[in-house]
Each structure stands twice: as C-alpha cells, then as structure tokens.
Amino acid sequence: MTETTNNKQSFHHQFEYVECKLDQGVAELILNRVEKHNAFDEVMINEMITVIEAFAKNDHCNMLIVRANGKNFSAGADLNWMRKQAKMDFEQNLLDANELAKLMHVLDKFPKPTIALVNGAAFGGALGLICCCDIAIANERASFCLSEVKLGLIPAVISPYVVRAMGNRQARRYMLTAERFSAAVALTHQVIHEINDDLDAAAKPFIEAFNANSPQGMAWAKTLVSHLEDGVIDDATLAHTSEQIARIRVSDEGQEGLNAFFEKRTPSWNAQSTISSTKTDAQGAQ
C-alpha cells in the first residue's frame, strides 16, 4: 500500500472477491462477489483478513466501513466451499474453521471504529461480521438468518459475537428455529443500530463523530468495553478502570485533549471541530 495525493490510498494487491478503499481517513472493505451474493469461501475469508490487518496498521486509516456490492450483503457460506468441507477430515476442518474465527477476531478487535452497512440478505457468517462491528446500519429490505441447523450444523464460530449482540435468550430462538428475521426485528434485538435506505447518509454522522474524537480515546474505549464483557464488577474491575483513566489522563493525547478544552481551542486531531460543541457535549455528560 502506498500513499497518494488527496489522502487517498492505492493498493498494489489485487483481490479476487473484495475491494478496499481509503479516502480522507475512511477505509472501506467491500464484499465483491456479486454473482454469488457475496458468499464466503476460503479465498474471500483470507482476503478479508489481509485487508483488515493492513488497515489496522495503517496510520492514515481512522475508521473502517464494511459493506457489499450487489443486492445482498452476503448469503453466508459458499456452496462449493461447503462441499469441500464435507470431504475434509477433522484436522482439515479445524484449520478451515480457525481461519473464519480469525476473521471475526481481527474485525472485532480492530483498533479503530467500525461500521457495517447492510444491504439485503445477511446470512450465517455475514451476521457474525455485522455483530463484530461497533455500529451496524441496515436498509429496510435487509433480512437475517442463522440457518446452520437446517444443514445439521451450528453457527459455532460466529456465536460469541451474535450472542453478545442479541443476548442469550434471543440467540437460542434464532439459532434453533433458523427463521429469517427482518431489519425491524434485528433492530429490536440489537443486531443493528438503525434502519435507513440511504446507507451512506446514515453513516455520515457517525463518520463525523469519529473524526471529531480522539483516536487513542476511541481505541482505549473499545478495549475497555471488551474487558467488561463478562459483566463482573469486583475489586479487579474497579482497579482496572481506575488505572485506565489515570493512564489516559497523563498520556500525550489525553493531555492534548484536556488542554485544548480548557484553552478553548480544537485538539490536534480535529482542526475542523468547534470548541462550543465540545463544551456542550462535555457539560451534558456531567
């Protein structure tokens, strides 16, 4: 990857099933296997991992959008890939599953904000991708399904992320029934945050918010929330949270943010924001 003019990123690596872009700090991973409804196979999974890992290390990337070309986000597993899996032994299947697990993990732990823009159907593993993103927006005709049990399988690799998003009780229902559910139901069960047929317009305020915020603050906030996933509030939790706020207050970026606020200037990471909006947000949080 090399940096070009206008803060746009060019990519020397040509991918078969995905596209990637980077413009003004906004990276995009675009599923691009339209003729197969963006169904996953081992090649596509490897390409997605490669792109996500590259963007994670890229200093010009401030956030990542995951989206798809075509009418559907993703039909889940590719049929030919599934035929290969059926002929594999346990060890081969384990290696294969580990790659999908790695994809979910690198997206879930991506050190910058992530947004999933969901158009049309999102089945199986696609639902895992969506639940790994920080924010998910779907259009009205989006639909979702965990259909694995119809094939005698289970949504094992994606299950930690799906259960975390929709809760254990609802996950039981949809994993057991394999029923298809709408964007409205997905919104109710916290799989998505918003329904909007203009996905780009819906993403814009989130992009603007991310650009106004401290990159380090957002990265640490993601790590903090991840640390608190078990819901346990004990002495170790209290010690960890106290240490984290103390560390970030004395960090370079924490000092810059605090000093910018009290000096009524914009912080170094956001030359376009206004101090008035920052004060309003800060006062409202008190």
Side-chain angles (χ1 to χ4, degrees):
M1 300 180 183
T2 57
E3 180 68 11
T4 61
T5 58
N6 196 32
N7 199 27
K8 289 186 178 180
Q9 197 80 12
S10 64
F11 299 86
H12 295 304
H13 193 108
Q14 294 299 311
F15 297 105
E16 187 175 0
Y17 296 141
V18 302
E19 294 179 352
C20 45
K21 300 177 182 177
L22 178 55
D23 186 10
Q24 301 299 321
V26 181
E28 293 188 44
L29 167 59
I30 306 167
L31 312 187
N32 189 41
R33 201 183 182 202
V34 177
E35 72 284 356
K36 297 288 187 179
H37 301 284
N38 298 313
F40 298 178
D41 68 1
E42 71 275 23
V43 175
M44 190 173 184
I45 288 170
N46 182 262
E47 290 181 352
M48 286 191 280
I49 291 170
T50 299
V51 172
I52 293 167
E53 289 185 330
F55 279 141
K57 299 173 184 175
N58 192 313
D59 292 337
H60 299 286
C61 169
N62 299 329
M63 66 197 76
L64 174 65
I65 293 175
V66 181
R67 64 192 310 164
N69 288 332
K71 294 182 178 180
N72 294 304
F73 185 79
S74 174
D78 175 74
L79 293 178
N80 288 328
W81 183 41
M82 292 174 67
R83 288 191 184 97
K84 292 180 185 176
Q85 292 168 334
K87 296 178 181 178
M88 292 177 181
D89 61 22
F90 171 78
E91 293 300 330
Q92 291 171 317
N93 263 291
L94 184 58
L95 290 172
D96 193 66
N98 282 340
E99 283 301 293
L100 183 61
K102 181 179 180 181
L103 169 61
M104 299 299 156
H105 179 74
V106 296
L107 180 57
D108 185 58
K109 299 301 182 185
F110 194 76
K112 303 154 191 183
T114 54
I115 305 174
L117 299 181
V118 185
N119 56 306
F123 294 170
L127 194 51
L129 283 183
I130 294 163
C131 292
C132 286
C133 288
D134 301 316
I135 294 168
I137 306 168
N139 61 12
E140 188 71 40
R141 66 178 188 83
S143 61
F144 308 82
C145 187
L146 295 162
S147 58
E148 286 82 356
V149 293
K150 287 186 175 181
L151 304 175
L153 305 175
I154 54 174
V157 170
I158 65 170
S159 61
Y161 313 102
V162 174
V163 172
R164 180 183 63 190
M166 70 188 327
N168 193 289
R169 186 68 168 162
Q170 296 300 339
R172 284 190 181 198
R173 169 180 172 171
Y174 292 103
M175 288 183 183
L176 291 172
T177 64
E179 65 190 287
R180 191 165 175 166
F181 56 99
S182 67
V185 172
L187 181 64
T188 300
H189 297 328
Q190 303 186 79
V191 172
I192 61 173
H193 295 88
E194 186 178 325
I195 301 172
N196 195 318
D197 282 338
D198 191 337
L199 295 175
D200 288 318
K204 187 176 179 181
F206 292 108
I207 293 171
E208 291 174 348
F210 295 152
N211 279 328
N213 295 337
S214 155
Q216 176 185 270
M218 291 188 293
W220 282 36
K222 289 187 68 166
T223 302
L224 176 65
V225 171
S226 178
H227 185 87
L228 301 174
E229 278 179 15
D230 62 8
V232 175
I233 304 176
D234 55 14
D235 289 345
T237 306
L238 300 181
H240 176 77
T241 54
S242 297
E243 179 187 357
Q244 290 298 293
I245 187 59
R247 285 188 182 279
I248 205 164
R249 281 175 184 162
V250 300
S251 70
D252 290 343
E253 204 162 295
Q255 289 287 296
E256 167 63 14
L258 288 169
N259 289 330
F261 176 76
F262 290 115
E263 294 167 11
K264 298 186 178 180
R265 62 175 174 82
T266 56
S268 59
W269 59 79
N270 180 28
Q272 286 74 40
S273 67
T274 62
I275 193 65
S276 59
S277 64
T278 303
K279 286 186 69 177
T280 299
D281 291 342
Q283 290 166 349
Q286 293 176 357

